[in-house]
Amino acid sequence: MTDRDAVPFDLASMRKQYRAEGLAEADLAATPVEQFARWFRQAATEGGMFEPNAMVVSTADAEGRPSSRTVLLKHFDERGFVFYTNYGSRKARDLAENPQVSLLFPWHPMARQVIVAGVARRTGRDETAAYFRTRPHGSQLGAWASSQSSVVAGREELDAAYAELAARYPEGEQVPVPPHWGGFRVVPRSVEFWQGRENRLHDRLRYVAGEDGGWRVERLGP
């Protein structure tokens, strides 16, 4: 990198002072999903974020090589956190070899993060089909047009595949659910709620799953 391409900022001096109010053990909900619902509601209504359901999904293959990408959360409940993808994608191939996964919700405007660690399992086809029917027509076609994570010759190839599908399934006609496309449900083993605080003394409270099906809460050093 030349001097002309150097970042025109002093990165070492870039810092924000976070909020004084924090997160106390007494304020937590009984389960991490209940607590997530509280924070997600605030992120969606008060956080000023474009897509509060955007999360960084990190996986690793059988050899331990990691990869990350941003995916949209589409459902959550006490059973786990659900997203959808092409089963031929890199993330899906990783999860077939190593189902351990991490989800990170980077709610920076609120100085908050939620980090979910757990095991990913495929959703059933009925659940996948029910969600697929809620997608806009163009997104349904896109699931067929894209061979996700595969090398393509150029944009023209992708646009041509989409145009062919649009002609075959015009607006208003039902698009079949691709057999290579579906959901993953991440069953959490731990969920950390990170709240930025003054002087970098952040609050980090983590729910950890117990063998009895309950949760214990532990505080982590910032």
Side-chain angles (χ1 to χ4, degrees):
M1 184 173 68
T2 65
D3 291 340
R4 179 172 55 84
D5 298 323
V7 177
F9 301 106
D10 179 3
L11 297 180
S13 66
M14 294 180 69
R15 57 177 56 89
K16 295 286 186 180
Q17 187 65 278
Y18 296 144
R19 58 205 290 172
E21 61 183 270
L23 181 65
E25 287 83 346
D27 297 331
L28 291 178
T31 72
V33 172
E34 291 177 31
Q35 182 64 35
F36 180 84
R38 290 180 185 176
W39 271 23
F40 185 82
R41 188 178 301 109
Q42 292 176 345
T45 59
E46 307 166 18
M49 280 165 281
F50 173 59
E51 288 182 321
N53 61 325
M55 59 185 182
V56 179
V57 178
S58 297
T59 59
D61 63 17
E63 297 181 21
R65 292 173 296 196
S67 61
S68 299
R69 74 289 291 161
T70 302
V71 176
L72 296 179
L73 176 72
K74 287 302 178 180
H75 180 72
F76 69 90
D77 57 26
E78 293 295 340
R79 296 180 298 160
F81 300 80
V82 178
F83 66 92
Y84 292 86
T85 188
N86 187 309
Y87 283 146
S89 65
R90 178 172 180 178
K91 71 179 86 60
R93 294 197 307 269
D94 281 357
L95 292 173
E97 298 175 345
N98 177 5
Q100 303 292 330
V101 62
S102 173
L103 312 177
L104 168 65
F105 294 86
W107 294 332
H108 300 311
M110 304 180 75
R112 286 178 175 175
Q113 301 179 75
V114 179
I115 305 166
V116 179
V119 175
R121 300 168 181 161
R122 287 191 181 191
T123 58
R125 293 309 293 174
D126 289 347
E127 184 176 355
T128 291
Y131 168 70
F132 188 79
R133 299 290 171 227
T134 70
R135 287 165 63 93
H137 182 73
S139 296
Q140 293 181 6
L141 297 179
W144 278 100
S146 173
S147 181
Q148 196 175 99
S149 301
S150 298
V151 176
V152 295
R155 178 74 196 193
E156 297 78 8
E157 178 181 323
L158 186 62
D159 289 340
Y162 182 89
E164 180 181 340
L165 287 159
R168 188 186 311 170
Y169 302 107
E171 187 78 42
E173 185 167 333
Q174 188 174 86
V175 180
V177 182
H180 57 269
W181 187 94
F184 282 102
R185 173 173 283 101
V186 177
V187 180
R189 291 183 172 174
S190 70
V191 184
E192 177 185 335
F193 293 85
W194 186 102
Q195 174 67 70
R197 296 291 303 275
E198 290 180 327
N199 304 315
R200 298 299 187 262
L201 295 178
H202 314 306
D203 286 324
R204 298 176 59 189
L205 299 182
R206 181 172 65 186
Y207 292 79
V208 179
E211 294 182 0
D212 61 353
W215 298 91
R216 75 174 190 273
V217 174
E218 51 194 20
R219 177 175 286 271
L220 304 178

